[in-house]
Amino acid sequence: CYSGGQRAALSTMTRQVLLFVSLLSVGSVLGQVSYTIPEEMAKGFLVGNIAHDLGLQTKRLASGKARIYTRDSGDYIELNRDRGVLLVKERIDREALCRQTTLCALHFQIILENPMEFYTVTVQITDINDNAPTFEKSEMKFKISESAITGAKFVLGRAVDLDVGINDLKSYELKPTDNFVLKVHNNADGNKNVEMVLQKPLDREKQEQISLVLTAVDGGEPQMSGTMLIVITVLDVNDNAPVFTQSTYKATVTENSPKGTVVATVTASDADQGSNSKIAYSITNTLDDIAKVFEVNEENGKITLVGNIDFEESRNYQIDLLASDEGGLTDSCKLIVDVQDVNDNKPEINIMSKSNVISEDAKLNTVVTMINIEDKDSGENGKVQCFINENMPFTLKTSNTNFYSLVTDRELDRERASEYNITLTCSDEGVPSLSSSVTLTLQISDVNDNAPVFERSSYEAYIVENNTPGLSIFTVKARDADWKQNARVSYILEDSSVNGVPVSSYVSVSADSGVIHAVRSFDYEQIKDFHFRVKAQDGGSPPLSSNVTVKILIQDQNDNPPQVLYPVQTGGSLVAEMVPRSADVGYLVTKVVAVDVDSGQNAWLSYKLQKATDRALFEVGIQNGEIRTIRQVTDKDAVKQRLTVIVEDNGKPSRSATVIVNVAVADSFPEVLSEFTDFTHDKDYNDNLTFYLVLALAVVSFLFITCLVVIISVKIYRWRQSRILYHSNLPVIPYYPPRYSDTLGTGTLQHVYNYEVCRTTDSRKSDCKFGRAGSQNVLIMDPSSTGTMQRIQNEKSILDEPDSPIEVRKFSPLVL
């Protein structure tokens, strides 16, 4: 519901739309629209169709997230994006908003994004007659001497109407008018001075007190009025009123002047004498803030500053002064105080719209932030220059004094700088200059413009053979200078083959960590090294990649024990080396030959004599495995000598093999035969001795009886065998002394032991070659054969033939 005045104003309201569009240098559109509405409109009142007036579609308002930006116009207007209209959001009181300013308007901007645009909107608020004229005081009292002459003036309190224009104060009316008439003076500033003029002399004896009513009427429709009661006390004999030396005084004061500063001094004089000439000064401004800022000394008329003055709030003040004597006569004057501006306001930086994140591939002149700059000072003090910190890929562009746009002027690279702290500084041209600054933080978003890079150009990794499948061998690492998904690296094993087998059957690569795992167990003796390629690919779109070569080297492990090549450990036959009793110290009995298929120090062999029938008679060369006598052979030495030689490699832990060497100490074959017939049986007995001892712990009594029976049986058997051999008429095989010659030509190694050892770096491919024997002193006896002597005679016939070759295996022994 509207009052009569509101309806009248609404009926006469005209909506003015002024649209001004210009193209900014930064690519944003700046438009200006003006509307006119009356005050006191209800919430939701339609101000105007902004979309239509700016030539925009409503969906553009929604997609651009249209919003109102205002600094100091209050929250009176709201934007309806769906309808594209401006509505009254809150009741507008023109008097509270603009006071006595005739032209009252709201100024704000409409901001749109994607792309950034802004439009300036002005809404003028017209006045309606919603305020009646009011006097500050409901009652004024005068003391007027009866001698007051006709035409005497008495200044009355002025009424104030908060409305403007035709709704403002129009006229005054004074009743009754028996003694006084009302006189109104129009001032140059548009205000009216109200005076009460005596038109008929007063007579205290007839009427000591007079009551008048002053009515103020405005020009609105319907009219509104206010009243003030005037009470006049008639005094006796004071016929001269004070008179100011000037009707108007002028003074100048600098803003921010300290309290107590004397602004000006006014002077009035009274022609009366005595107490009737004593003048009191006072300020009559009542409806404004003059009394809070200025104070007059009642006695001397000095006007001093008692409050704060700000050029930006008020550039001048008008002070109404009154001089009155004790007889009640008064005079009035006016003091106009001009305020001088000083540079006391820093430039205000207001961010209209900004982007917090921008892509590193953003084009040049992309708008990042829109800024509004205001300085409340005037003149040179209000002129502002803005700049940003150096070495930034951004620049400031402006289309007018108050608006700036921050745009890109160089290509961005997130890998060099992922964030910019842009300091915007604005300085005015005052003396001294004042400045303000604000820091804008701008994040640079990533695009996939960097491929993964491996830490090395190639890799080498080592793994010990006989590894467990699935063992982690090595880790390849690639880094991507991009961010998040674009920097997420995956590792891929490229297809290739090793010895005709896919490399994926040898190794695998963890896609996330780059850890290389062994798929199988490696054997150094089969493969010593291989290589393959690993590709690193990022998670960008499209993905970028790089690759690297990885070489895997297999390290040898001591997983193969030494293999004894000579003497051969036969199952049924007995191999024995013959040493004549005339052998000297250092006589070469035989040589243990062994190989190890491992490599390096794992294949370095050493020989040790573990057990011997007579340890004081023989020794073994640690490095060459040669068995030699260490003292002179005597007749007391047993014919049957058994040596146990252990062959160890140099691995950690070391591996070993054991070989048994049977040596016959005799000068003729018949002497050997009787001792070596039971050699095999002793061997069987010794091999099973451990088993018997363990079994004896459980069943001692049973094994004891069993062992007795076995021992007795063996003794009887040996005795019968030896008797059969003794009574037989077999011929005796003559013994041929051996000829010695070692591989170095020193004459210490028999010709029958000449051998050639050929070894390569691959121990599996090593072989041994042995020459043919020129003579033999090795015995082989086969007790299970019935044709023993026949074979002995055959061997003798062979030995008698000097040119008959004998193919020997390793140290080819003679078979008897």
Side-chain angles (χ1 to χ4, degrees):
C1 294
Y2 302 99
S3 65
Q6 291 175 323
R7 285 194 296 270
L10 182 59
S11 62
T12 59
M13 180 191 69
T14 60
R15 181 175 295 125
Q16 300 175 352
V17 180
L18 175 62
L19 178 61
F20 173 75
V21 181
S22 64
L23 185 63
L24 290 175
S25 61
V26 296
S28 301
V29 176
L30 175 64
Q32 182 172 338
V33 181
S34 179
Y35 298 99
T36 302
I37 64 172
E39 65 174 332
E40 302 293 340
M41 291 295 99
K43 181 178 180 181
F45 176 79
L46 176 63
V47 177
N49 191 329
I50 189 67
H52 176 269
D53 296 335
L54 292 178
L56 300 174
Q57 297 181 356
T58 55
K59 63 180 182 180
R60 169 62 179 129
L61 298 178
S63 63
K65 299 179 180 179
R67 58 187 173 87
I68 290 177
Y69 169 80
T70 179
R71 292 182 53 248
D72 52 6
S73 295
D75 195 11
Y76 295 105
I77 306 298
E78 65 179 354
L79 172 64
N80 189 313
R81 294 182 188 170
D82 298 332
R83 296 169 54 194
V85 296
L86 295 176
L87 303 175
V88 173
K89 185 177 181 182
E90 184 179 346
R91 184 183 69 85
I92 304 174
D93 186 356
R94 192 205 65 79
E95 286 72 28
L97 183 64
C98 299
R99 294 187 178 182
Q100 293 295 317
T101 305
T102 302
L103 183 60
C104 182
L106 298 175
H107 302 279
F108 55 90
Q109 287 77 36
I110 294 181
I111 306 296
L112 291 89
E113 299 179 356
N114 299 323
M116 289 185 183
E117 299 174 333
F118 77 97
Y119 301 88
T120 299
V121 180
T122 301
V123 179
Q124 295 185 3
I125 311 300
T126 60
D127 183 55
I128 63 174
N129 192 26
D130 59 340
N131 292 280
T134 58
F135 294 90
E136 171 156 19
K137 296 181 180 180
S138 62
E139 181 180 347
M140 286 191 71
K141 293 181 179 182
F142 291 90
K143 294 180 180 180
I144 302 175
S145 175
E146 63 177 350
S147 61
I149 60 175
T150 302
K153 300 176 182 179
F154 303 93
V155 178
L156 302 179
R158 195 172 57 192
V160 175
D161 195 332
L162 296 179
D163 297 322
V164 295
I166 62 174
N167 298 321
D168 197 0
L169 181 65
K170 182 179 181 182
S171 61
Y172 292 91
E173 184 179 2
L174 182 65
K175 291 182 179 180
T177 58
D178 296 336
N179 297 95
F180 296 90
V181 293
L182 193 63
K183 189 174 182 179
V184 179
H185 298 281
N186 293 324
N187 296 329
D189 58 358
N191 293 323
K192 297 179 180 181
N193 284 342
V194 183
E195 293 179 342
M196 183 175 62
V197 181
L198 182 65
Q199 67 174 353
K200 181 180 178 181
L202 300 176
D203 188 356
R204 186 187 61 80
E205 288 73 18
K206 289 182 179 181
Q207 190 176 8
E208 186 175 358
Q209 193 174 59
I210 301 173
S211 295
L212 304 176
V213 176
L214 178 64
T215 302
V217 182
D218 63 19
E221 187 178 340
Q223 286 186 334
M224 303 181 74
S225 63
T227 62
M228 180 178 67
L229 178 63
I230 302 173
V231 179
I232 301 173
T233 301
V234 181
L235 301 178
D236 194 20
V237 187
N238 184 27
D239 54 354
N240 288 288
V243 177
F244 280 102
T245 57
Q246 300 178 35
S247 60
T248 302
Y249 294 85
K250 290 187 178 181
T252 301
V253 64
T254 303
E255 70 170 325
N256 299 328
S257 294
K259 295 178 181 180
T261 300
V262 177
V263 177
T265 302
V266 294
T267 304
S269 62
D270 194 317
D272 293 325
Q273 292 182 350
S275 61
N276 290 329
S277 65
K278 188 177 182 179
I279 299 173
Y281 300 93
S282 62
I283 296 176
T284 61
N285 299 70
T286 56
L287 297 179
D288 49 24
D289 296 331
I290 294 297
K292 296 180 181 179
V293 181
F294 300 97
E295 182 181 72
V296 62
N297 188 302
E298 293 183 357
E299 297 179 356
N300 56 26
K302 288 185 178 180
I303 292 91
T304 58
L305 194 63
V306 294
N308 297 320
I309 58 174
D310 191 346
F311 177 84
E312 287 69 40
E313 292 184 2
S314 180
R315 300 191 178 190
N316 57 68
Y317 293 91
Q318 180 176 303
I319 305 174
D320 296 327
L321 298 168
L322 183 68
S324 60
D325 60 18
E326 291 185 355
L329 299 181
T330 62
D331 191 15
S332 62
C333 72
K334 188 180 300 181
L335 173 62
I336 297 176
V337 180
D338 292 326
V339 181
Q340 290 184 337
D341 182 41
V342 296
N343 192 26
D344 60 342
N345 290 282
K346 294 182 179 180
E348 296 180 6
I349 302 174
N350 303 288
I351 306 301
M352 299 172 60
S353 182
K354 70 173 182 177
S355 299
N356 294 322
V357 179
I358 186 173
S359 176
E360 65 176 321
D361 61 350
K363 297 181 179 179
L364 297 180
N365 293 323
T366 298
V367 179
V368 176
T369 304
M370 300 181 70
I371 306 161
N372 171 244
I373 309 298
E374 292 290 341
D375 194 317
K376 293 181 179 180
D377 295 321
S378 62
E380 296 297 320
N381 295 332
K383 293 182 179 180
V384 180
Q385 297 292 331
C386 296
F387 56 90
I388 62 174
N389 43 330
E390 298 180 353
N391 301 323
M392 288 285 176
F394 305 96
T395 187
L396 280 175
K397 291 188 177 181
T398 180
S399 59
N400 56 46
T401 305
N402 296 329
F403 295 94
Y404 289 85
S405 294
L406 181 66
V407 300
T408 59
D409 71 339
R410 293 201 304 268
E411 292 183 354
L412 304 176
D413 187 355
R414 192 205 65 82
E415 287 68 45
R416 287 186 304 199
S418 61
E419 180 181 281
Y420 289 96
N421 291 318
I422 307 167
T423 301
L424 172 66
T425 303
C426 295
S427 303
D428 59 29
E429 296 183 6
V431 179
S433 176
L434 299 178
S435 63
S436 58
S437 62
V438 64
T439 299
L440 306 174
T441 300
L442 182 62
Q443 302 285 342
I444 308 302
S445 62
D446 186 50
V447 296
N448 191 28
D449 56 350
N450 290 278
V453 178
F454 283 96
E455 294 177 345
R456 302 180 189 175
S457 58
S458 63
Y459 292 90
E460 281 191 0
Y462 297 86
I463 183 172
V464 180
E465 66 171 333
N466 302 319
N467 60 285
T468 303
L471 178 68
S472 173
I473 303 176
F474 190 69
T475 301
V476 294
K477 194 69 175 178
R479 300 187 181 276
D480 196 309
D482 292 321
W483 194 45
K484 287 188 176 179
Q485 185 64 26
N486 295 331
R488 184 176 181 179
V489 179
S490 299
Y491 301 92
I492 303 170
L493 181 65
E494 291 189 350
D495 293 336
S496 62
S497 61
V498 178
N499 297 331
V501 179
V503 71
S504 59
S505 64
Y506 285 83
V507 293
S508 65
V509 178
S510 174
D512 295 329
S513 62
V515 177
I516 300 174
H517 297 274
V519 174
R520 62 167 63 177
S521 178
F522 297 107
D523 189 351
Y524 177 83
E525 287 71 37
Q526 293 181 358
I527 182 171
K528 292 179 174 57
D529 62 74
F530 63 94
H531 64 272
F532 54 90
R533 295 179 71 82
V534 176
K535 179 171 71 174
Q537 179 175 291
D538 62 26
S541 179
L544 301 177
S545 63
S546 61
N547 50 39
V548 70
T549 300
V550 180
K551 185 175 182 181
I552 303 297
L553 302 173
I554 313 301
Q555 291 183 326
D556 183 46
Q557 190 180 44
N558 191 26
D559 58 340
N560 292 284
Q563 298 177 2
V564 178
L565 301 180
Y566 185 85
V568 179
Q569 302 296 294
T570 59
S573 300
L574 183 64
V575 180
E577 306 291 343
M578 289 188 61
V579 176
R581 292 188 181 277
S582 60
D584 294 330
V585 177
Y587 177 83
L588 179 61
V589 178
T590 185
K591 183 171 184 176
V592 177
V593 179
V595 295
D596 195 317
V597 296
D598 292 322
S599 63
Q601 66 179 6
N602 293 330
W604 298 350
L605 301 180
S606 60
Y607 303 85
K608 297 179 182 177
L609 183 61
Q610 186 180 34
K611 291 190 299 183
T613 303
D614 187 353
R615 297 187 66 91
L617 182 58
F618 301 99
E619 69 175 356
V620 179
I622 295 178
Q623 301 298 330
N624 53 24
E626 293 179 350
I627 300 176
R628 296 179 181 270
T629 58
I630 56 177
R631 62 174 176 81
Q632 182 71 39
V633 180
T634 64
D635 294 337
K636 295 180 180 180
D637 293 327
V639 174
K640 181 174 62 175
Q641 298 285 338
R642 190 171 192 174
L643 309 178
T644 301
V645 178
I646 183 171
V647 183
E648 292 183 341
D649 58 29
N650 198 38
K652 291 183 180 180
S654 63
R655 290 178 171 266
S656 63
T658 304
V659 60
I660 297 176
V661 180
N662 296 311
V663 178
V665 179
D667 292 328
S668 63
F669 288 116
E671 184 181 357
V672 175
L673 290 178
S674 61
E675 294 293 334
F676 278 81
T677 52
D678 61 343
F679 217 114
T680 302
H681 301 285
D682 291 341
K683 177 179 181 299
D684 294 338
Y685 173 77
N686 292 331
D687 289 342
N688 293 319
L689 182 58
T690 302
F691 171 75
Y692 292 145
L693 292 175
V694 174
L695 190 59
L697 295 175
V699 284
V700 175
S701 52
F702 176 78
L703 286 180
F704 178 76
I705 298 172
T706 303
C707 290
L708 288 178
V709 173
V710 172
I711 292 173
I712 293 173
S713 301
V714 171
K715 290 297 183 180
I716 295 174
Y717 174 77
R718 288 182 178 177
W719 177 77
R720 293 188 62 183
Q721 288 295 102
S722 62
R723 293 298 295 175
I724 293 172
L725 182 61
Y726 180 77
H727 291 288
S728 64
N729 294 324
L730 292 176
V732 177
I733 300 175
Y735 173 74
Y736 296 90
R739 295 188 297 272
Y740 298 95
S741 175
D742 63 10
T743 56
L744 299 177
T746 59
T748 61
L749 184 64
Q750 306 173 24
H751 289 292
V752 71
Y753 293 122
N754 289 347
Y755 61 92
E756 179 182 1
V757 178
C758 300
R759 299 190 65 186
T760 65
T761 57
D762 187 353
S763 59
R764 284 184 174 271
K765 298 180 180 179
S766 302
D767 55 5
C768 296
K769 297 180 181 180
F770 300 90
R772 297 178 178 179
S775 62
Q776 293 288 352
N777 68 337
V778 180
L779 299 178
I780 296 180
M781 300 189 67
D782 190 355
S784 63
S785 177
T786 56
T788 300
M789 297 311 298
Q790 182 63 39
R791 284 195 301 274
I792 293 175
Q793 291 181 357
N794 291 338
E795 290 294 331
K796 178 180 179 301
S797 64
I798 292 174
L799 291 173
D800 290 340
E801 298 179 20
D803 297 329
S804 59
I806 300 176
E807 185 71 21
V808 296
R809 178 173 56 85
K810 298 181 182 178
F811 291 96
S812 302
L814 179 63
V815 179
L816 297 180

